[in-house]
Amino acid sequence: MWLKIRKSNPIFQLFLWLYAIISLYPLVWMLFYSLKDNNEIFVTNPFGFPTNLRFENYTSAISEFNVPQYFLNSVFVTVITVVGTIVLAVMFAYSAARLRWRGKTIAQMYIVVGMFVPVQVIMIPLAILVRDFNLTNTYSSLIIPYIAFNISFSSMVFYGFFRTIPNELEESACLDGANIYQTFYKIMLPLVKPSIATMVIFVFLAAWNEYPIALMLISDESLKTLPLGLQFFQGQFTTDWGAMGAAMTIASLPTVLVYILFSEQVEKAMTVGSAVKG
């Protein structure tokens, strides 16, 4: 027998509070960690609130090392990757879901197969291609592979959303004189905005945190992204873990900001299919 759980149920509220605390504590711990010295982190107070707020850890991370450059590199690579992936994926998904053209099935299968290719398999061929095209130690050597890796999953998500939209909407637009491009930009694209917001978050996280490809293709200090820079940052900060925590906190801020900006659209993505059908 199924029991109906109400929001006002104390046990349910207690469960939600525990879940929230468990989910948020790692972020809070990282913030505390960034404001402590080595003695507090490892000996006297590893999990509690800092006894003294050591904001100089952030000053050290920003002024004495190359964190701002790493940060800007990550922002540039990630933003271009997100824009490129979303634009290409949404156009392909629309053409695959709503149009008829020769070779569509083969193209769909090709895109789907891309989701099952692990990054470790293509490391050597990718390195050879990047070298032959003279892209080593350039932003393009990261952006192009990042787009290629994310476009498969993004296309399948958009494809599912486009398939839920009734054909009557396109037929009405056609009767009103809209061509295929106007139908796409003015009718179909606004309807899949929640899915676009969802994929922006997924692609942003994947590109922002990516490490193996960056490690293999980037050796120029001025082009390193944050995950790659933090590795060498750790070697220089073996006696200053507070500054390391400050650098990790700075690296986490954009992901939190992106999620806050797009979280409402993500919630709408959960119900947009039924809403459109209704």
Side-chain angles (χ1 to χ4, degrees):
M1 179 177 179
W2 292 95
L3 297 177
K4 186 176 181 180
I5 299 177
R6 296 181 178 180
K7 294 181 180 178
S8 58
N9 188 312
I11 298 177
F12 182 62
Q13 288 190 351
L14 177 62
F15 170 77
L16 293 180
W17 275 108
L18 288 174
Y19 182 79
I21 292 172
I22 293 172
S23 300
L24 292 176
Y25 182 73
L27 293 176
V28 176
W29 179 83
M30 184 175 66
L31 181 62
F32 290 171
Y33 169 46
S34 69
L35 297 171
K36 299 177 181 177
D37 59 11
N38 288 0
N39 188 48
E40 274 194 275
I41 293 172
F42 293 108
V43 182
T44 61
N45 184 26
F47 302 109
F49 191 85
T51 54
N52 294 310
L53 300 180
R54 301 178 185 279
F55 292 104
E56 59 269 24
N57 290 337
Y58 286 86
T59 305
S60 299
I62 293 173
S63 61
E64 297 180 14
F65 297 88
N66 213 12
V67 171
Q69 184 65 49
Y70 301 150
F71 185 88
L72 292 176
N73 290 338
S74 285
V75 169
F76 179 77
V77 170
T78 303
V79 169
I80 299 299
T81 299
V82 170
V83 173
T85 302
I86 298 299
V87 170
L88 294 175
V90 78
M91 289 193 297
F92 173 79
Y94 176 72
S95 65
R98 314 298 295 191
L99 307 179
R100 296 179 181 177
W101 43 281
R102 184 175 299 175
K104 184 176 74 172
T105 303
I106 297 175
Q108 282 183 265
M109 292 178 62
Y110 181 77
I111 290 294
V112 171
V113 169
M115 290 193 300
F116 304 103
V117 178
V119 63
Q120 293 82 0
V121 173
I122 54 88
M123 294 289 269
I124 295 177
L126 178 62
I128 295 173
L129 281 175
V130 169
R131 182 200 61 190
D132 292 346
F133 283 96
N134 296 319
L135 294 176
T136 305
N137 278 324
T138 64
Y139 290 124
S140 298
S141 66
L142 298 180
I143 293 172
I144 294 174
Y146 289 176
I147 292 176
F149 269 103
N150 286 292
I151 199 170
S152 296
F153 181 66
S154 302
S155 297
M156 291 302 101
V157 171
F158 292 140
Y159 177 85
F161 272 83
F162 278 123
R163 294 290 293 176
T164 64
I165 299 175
N167 293 328
E168 287 78 5
L169 290 176
E170 286 177 297
E171 294 171 357
S172 299
C174 183
L175 291 175
D176 290 338
N179 58 35
I180 186 173
Y181 301 105
Q182 291 170 326
T183 302
F184 174 68
Y185 286 110
K186 296 182 179 180
I187 305 296
M188 306 299 284
L189 204 55
L191 292 175
V192 296
K193 281 172 59 179
S195 65
I196 293 176
T198 304
M199 293 317 305
V200 165
I201 294 176
F202 275 93
V203 177
F204 184 92
L205 292 176
W208 185 264
N209 296 318
E210 200 286 328
Y211 176 76
I213 294 178
L215 177 63
M216 180 180 65
L217 300 178
I218 299 296
S219 58
D220 189 336
E221 185 69 20
S222 64
L223 296 176
K224 287 178 181 175
T225 56
L226 262 175
L228 187 60
L230 286 176
Q231 180 200 20
F232 299 98
F233 190 87
Q234 183 179 10
Q236 300 174 47
F237 277 93
T238 52
T239 59
D240 193 354
W241 290 97
M244 170 64 82
M248 290 191 295
T249 303
I250 294 171
S252 301
L253 291 178
T255 57
V256 176
L257 179 63
V258 167
Y259 181 77
I260 292 174
L261 290 176
F262 293 97
S263 59
E264 185 177 352
Q265 292 294 326
V266 173
E267 293 175 6
K268 291 181 180 179
M270 303 299 177
T271 57
V272 66
S274 58
V276 170
K277 287 181 178 178

